Amino acid sequence: QVQLVESGGGLVQAGGSLRLSCAAPESIFRINAMGWYRQAPGKQRELVAVIPSGGTTNYADSVKGRFTISMDNAKNTVYLQMNTLKPDDTAVYYCYAEMRLSPWTTVARTYWGQGTQVTVSS
């Protein structure tokens, strides 16, 4: 199985910014969509943002206007620019990719990053 490689997490003060990145192998057959989930202690996993290939981006209401998702198709990398961070943004952020690894895989599957911790202090 393939695991996406995440980076960019850290500890920042409220109002600060972070930029997360998530890279899939460069030789992927086809990517249908990439996105980000987050999970805070004691809370269920929340979809933060998604960017379908050739489609429009979507954001959770809680981050709309503050976060921006983008994708570099040539590098199979998705980014999450997080501005005006709030303590409620504190969570482990997981990227995912819905993709086919090769032409022999007829159904797209979801692959995940290892998670990166984002902590926002008051």
Side-chain angles (χ1 to χ4, degrees), residues 9-122:
L11 193 158
V12 298
Q13 296 185 89
S17 298
L18 286 173
R19 182 177 173 87
L20 308 182
S21 64
C22 171
E26 295 183 3
S27 59
I28 297 299
F29 178 68
R30 181 178 293 117
I31 296 177
N32 296 331
M34 299 186 77
W36 296 88
Y37 282 87
R38 66 185 181 186
Q39 188 163 31
K43 299 181 180 179
Q44 63 181 327
R45 189 178 64 179
E46 174 188 25
L47 179 62
V48 177
V50 61
I51 180 169
S53 180
T56 59
T57 57
N58 288 283
Y59 300 90
D61 289 340
S62 58
V63 307
K64 194 171 300 182
R66 300 187 297 118
F67 290 11
T68 302
I69 187 171
S70 61
M71 183 166 58
D72 185 336
N73 291 319
K75 297 181 178 180
N76 290 340
T77 299
V78 65
Y79 304 92
L80 187 67
Q81 179 66 47
M82 305 184 295
N83 298 325
T84 319
L85 284 163
K86 305 175 180 179
D88 285 347
D89 296 320
T90 296
V92 177
Y93 285 70
Y94 298 91
C95 66
Y96 76 90
E98 181 183 321
M99 57 189 182
R100 296 171 62 190
L101 302 184
S102 75
W104 299 107
T105 304
T106 58
V107 179
R109 291 179 170 82
T110 301
Y111 299 85
W112 296 91
Q114 80 280 7
T116 184
Q117 177 71 50
V118 172
T119 302
V120 184
S121 62
S122 301

